[in-house]
Amino acid sequence: MALIEIRDLVKSFDQHSVLAGVNLDVEEGGVKFIMGPSGCGKSTLLRCLNRLVEPTSGTIRVRDIDITAATTDVRALRQSIGFVFQQFALYRHLNVVDNVTLALRKVKKTNAQEARGKAMHELDRFGMAAHASKYPHQLSGGQKQRVAIARALAMDPLVLVLDEPTSALDPIMSQDVARLLRKLLSERVTMVCVTHDLSLAEGVCNRVVYLEKGIVRAEDEIAQLSDHHPDPHIRAFFGRKRSAEQ
């Protein structure tokens, strides 16, 4: 059953349609990797999921509730969709555990002791409990990514949304993120991930959604898109990426 159903989603800026009618389902406990050329609307699509960007038209339903409706409690919605930003967005003046507990205390009104316990559980889950007292500048890129994911999951979201999770990481750290996402997938954490990193998608589920000019043009296994898709532009997109990363 689809946890998220996106239908005819349009987002226009100054009469330019960045999203031109996206239709997409995200199954509960599954993962969707979204790829496509620069400017195709990938990040805009993610931001529509938690209303950081307001759709122009169309619907997004989460567990059959239309979250694009005017009556939607946006604050509650953002608690249910864990967002991991491209540059991690950790607060530099807070240590690791305080970064993870902040939303729990301020948004969910969780008491300090319970929030710390939840934070330490998530940090331990990702091998970061020993770094709880460190500050972001003392962490590697991969460690910052783990803290950002732990912070999002501490809120017990319905879905984890990741925007280019390996863009700031070297190849070794990118492999670490792939292992982490495989672990989350094995635990049936629902995920939507925008990435330019084909090896990340291949390392987690080997299947992607291809977005171009604001619409979904294809969804298939990477080898099928690269070698057998009837559109030569799609074959070229994935063929070039596979060649570059081999």
Side-chain angles (χ1 to χ4, degrees), residues 64-219:
D64 210 31
I65 296 172
D66 182 4
I67 66 168
T68 56
T71 55
T72 297
D73 183 341
V74 175
R75 184 183 176 94
L77 169 66
R78 290 175 182 164
Q79 291 182 46
S80 68
I81 298 179
F83 208 109
V84 180
F85 294 91
Q86 187 170 344
Q87 297 298 327
F88 318 126
L90 300 178
Y91 292 101
R92 291 178 295 176
H93 67 290
L94 297 179
N95 64 21
V96 164
V97 71
D98 287 343
N99 261 285
V100 179
T101 62
L102 183 64
L104 285 168
R105 293 184 290 106
K106 299 297 185 182
V107 178
K108 282 199 167 184
K109 306 302 181 184
T110 306
N111 69 60
Q113 183 177 357
E114 185 179 346
R116 183 178 178 83
K118 177 67 173 173
M120 292 304 295
H121 169 77
E122 294 296 343
L123 290 169
D124 184 61
R125 182 181 180 187
F126 301 126
M128 289 299 296
H131 303 277
S133 297
K134 291 183 179 179
Y135 287 81
H137 73 273
Q138 297 173 299
L139 304 177
S140 69
Q143 289 171 331
K144 290 176 185 177
Q145 187 65 277
R146 286 173 174 262
V147 174
I149 293 172
R151 177 177 61 183
L153 291 178
M155 298 291 285
D156 296 319
L158 291 174
V159 59
L160 181 66
V161 175
L162 305 105
D163 190 5
E164 298 283 8
T166 60
S167 65
L169 305 180
D170 63 35
I172 299 300
M173 289 181 180
S174 296
Q175 292 173 20
D176 183 58
V177 171
R179 284 191 293 270
L180 179 58
L181 297 189
R182 286 198 299 271
K183 171 182 168 63
L184 294 176
L185 188 59
S186 72
E187 296 172 1
R188 293 192 55 78
V189 174
T190 307
M191 293 179 283
V192 179
C193 178
V194 158
T195 185
H196 70 286
D197 186 348
L198 196 60
S199 63
L200 176 66
E202 288 181 313
V204 178
C205 74
N206 200 36
R207 187 178 179 90
V208 300
V209 173
Y210 178 74
L211 196 68
E212 184 180 51
K213 295 181 180 178
I215 62 171
V216 174
R217 293 285 312 281
E219 180 176 357

Side-chain angles (χ1 to χ4, degrees), residues 26-41:
V26 180
E27 301 298 318
E28 189 156 10
V31 59
K32 289 285 184 184
F33 279 93
I34 301 172
M35 300 188 71
S38 297
C40 70

